[in-house]
Amino acid sequence: MTNKERFKLIPSVYALFIKEGNIFLLRRYQTGFEDGNYGLPAGHADGGETMRDALVREVSEEVGVRINNDDLNLVLTMHRWCGDHERIDLFFVVNHWDGEVKNMEPKKCDDARWFSLEKLPQNTIQYIQAAIDCYKKEIKYCEFGWER
């Protein structure tokens, strides 16, 4: 690496919609990543936007509700190794939203519903399961995938 090259991380943001002991999950479909497994409404920051702004945009696109930056509470930062690159994942609880949470991307998601926080589907993406476990234990930072 030359002096002008800098190490880069990919930032991702995730929304935890929690209601009455349940969490909203989406099953990935035809995306090429973790298809058939459940994850959270999420996405990448595009650059030139805050992480909260990125999540507001992604939530609108994926689950069709309006949220405000002030209604997002950062509950977990995950430093994740993905085999050939690293990511920083920021997980936010959505404290308030306007509208009904539903699947807005049927070409990328073939199921979207509420699950008990105590009984997630067996096919929940591993790092998402780890993040939800951290949330339940009030752990604010974790590392995932570094067991090489």
Side-chain angles (χ1 to χ4, degrees), residues 28-98:
R28 300 181 63 86
Y29 173 69
Q30 298 186 92
T31 67
F33 176 75
E34 293 285 353
D35 289 333
N37 296 319
Y38 284 93
L40 296 165
H44 300 105
D46 284 343
E49 63 184 348
T50 69
M51 296 300 109
R52 287 181 176 177
D53 287 344
L55 192 55
V56 167
R57 175 180 48 75
E58 289 289 349
V59 161
S60 175
E61 293 169 4
E62 291 186 14
V63 296
V65 296
R66 288 191 333 242
I67 58 175
N68 295 316
N69 288 11
D70 294 340
D71 291 323
L72 298 174
N73 181 28
L74 179 65
V75 294
L76 176 67
T77 301
M78 178 183 284
H79 185 195
R80 185 163 51 101
W81 175 251
C82 300
D84 62 351
H85 67 280
E86 298 176 41
R87 291 180 181 261
I88 288 290
D89 298 327
L90 303 175
F91 294 83
F92 293 87
V93 166
V94 182
N95 294 319
H96 176 77
W97 59 89
D98 291 322

Side-chain angles (χ1 to χ4, degrees), residues 136-148:
K136 291 177 0 185
K137 295 175 185 172
E138 298 184 7
I139 296 170
K140 302 293 183 189
Y141 172 81
C142 74
E143 296 164 349
F144 186 90
W146 290 91
E147 310 79 29
R148 297 186 232 178

